[in-house]
Structure formats: structure tokens, C-alpha cells
């Protein structure tokens, strides 16, 4: 994370990591390394669904792909920092932890939270992407064209 006040790109990065993290891993990392602060709830943990949209080829017109279950929570720390957590699935405790982590990342505890929670989750996600890419690369077929005599 950049030093100083976190910017929108920094927050997008850690919110993305938290949203995609396995719920049990997120909770374990948080509970094992960071003391849980006292919070007031702006929105208690709740479960809902969101519409997932897609595009053909990444550039075509958007279409509704389907719904996805999410859990969300919003908290405020004693210092006034607010945190919002949205996570995949139905884990209310993971949504609460994600909201608390988001709020803590806006305080002086940000570096400790980054090292204890965000960085390990990001590294694990990258390792998973690399493993999937390796499996896909193993099945890749390279086609090449030979010059035939009549075309030369």
C-alpha cells in the first residue's frame, strides 16, 4: 500500500481482495493477528443477491448473466472511520470482518492490517490464478502454417 492517506485505487484494491477471499480464511487471518475493535453498526450483516452482468468478448453489449448471493455489512469505529464489507456467499461473519478491515485500513493500524490480512489474501489469490494459468497453458495447442510449394 502507498504511504500516507489511502486513495480510491488503494481502497478498491483491498476491497476487491476482501470480497473475493474465502470466508473462513478471511476470518482466521483477522482473528489471529488483529485485535477486534469496538464498532457500531451502520448496517448489521445481512444476506442478499446482486445481478451479475457480462459482455461477449469483453467488448460487446452488456447482458444479465444471473444472480449471485452476497453478504454485506457497514460499521463505524470509535474514531469515526466507516467500513463497508461485501463478500461472496452467505457468510455474515466474513462480511462483518471485511467491513472492520475496511475501516481499520483508514486508520493508523493500516500497515499492520495490510501485513496480517490483505497481503496474505492477495498472495494466495495470485497463487491460485497462477496455478489455473499453468493448468490452462499445459493444454494450449500452437498451430502454425507451413509454406506449401504451390504458394511459394
Amino acid at each position: 500500500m502507498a504511504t500516507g492517506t489511502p486513495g480510491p485505487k488503494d481502497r478498491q484494491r483491498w476491497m476487491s481482495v476482501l470480497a473475493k477471499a474465502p470466508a473462513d480464511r478471511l476470518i482466521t487471518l483477522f482473528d489471529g493477528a488483529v485485535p477486534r475493535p469496538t464498532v457500531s453498526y451502520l448496517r448489521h450483516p445481512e444476506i442478499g443477491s446482486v445481478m451479475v452482468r457480462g459482455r461477449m468478448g469483453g467488448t460487446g453489449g452488456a447482458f444479465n448473466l444471473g444472480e449471485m448471493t452476497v453478504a454485506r455489512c457497514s460499521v463505524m469505529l470509535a474514531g469515526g472511520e466507516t467500513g463497508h464489507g461485501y463478500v461472496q456467499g452467505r457468510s455474515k461473519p466474513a462480511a462483518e470482518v471485511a467491513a472492520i478491515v475496511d475501516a481499520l485500513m483508514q486508520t493508523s493500524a493500516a500497515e499492520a492490517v495490510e501485513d496480517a490480512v490483505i497481503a496474505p489474501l492477495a498472495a494466495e489469490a495470485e497463487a491460485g490464478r497462477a496455478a489455473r494459468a499453468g493448468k490452462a497453458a499445459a493444454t494450449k495447442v500452437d498451430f502454425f502454417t507451413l509454406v506449401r510449394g504451390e504458394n511459394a
Side-chain angles (χ1 to χ4, degrees):
M1 186 176 92
T3 58
T5 305
K9 294 285 184 192
D10 297 319
R11 193 168 190 199
Q12 287 173 0
R13 180 188 59 82
W14 78 63
M15 294 288 282
S16 175
V17 168
L18 294 170
K20 298 172 188 172
D24 57 343
R25 185 71 176 134
L26 171 61
I27 294 167
T28 300
L29 284 173
F30 179 76
D31 287 340
V34 179
R36 188 177 287 253
T38 303
V39 299
S40 56
Y41 291 93
L42 302 175
R43 174 178 286 130
H44 285 274
E46 59 187 2
I47 298 168
S49 62
V50 295
M51 179 60 67
V52 178
R53 298 191 40 100
R55 293 183 185 274
M56 291 301 290
T59 58
F63 63 93
N64 292 338
L65 185 62
E67 291 185 353
M68 178 177 145
T69 305
V70 297
R72 70 179 181 178
C73 181
S74 295
V75 299
M76 182 182 291
L77 300 181
E81 298 84 1
T82 59
H84 306 282
Y86 285 81
V87 297
Q88 298 179 69
R90 303 176 55 84
S91 178
K92 289 181 181 181
E96 180 181 9
V97 167
I100 293 170
V101 168
D102 178 41
L104 287 173
M105 288 296 290
Q106 301 168 55
T107 68
S108 60
E111 190 173 332
V113 174
E114 172 79 26
D115 293 342
V117 180
I118 306 294
L121 289 173
E124 291 167 10
E126 183 55 38
R129 278 191 289 278
R132 285 189 303 278
K135 282 184 179 180
T139 64
K140 182 179 178 183
V141 177
D142 287 323
F143 293 96
F144 57 93
T145 304
L146 294 174
V147 177
R148 292 176 27 170
E150 67 245 15
N151 293 339

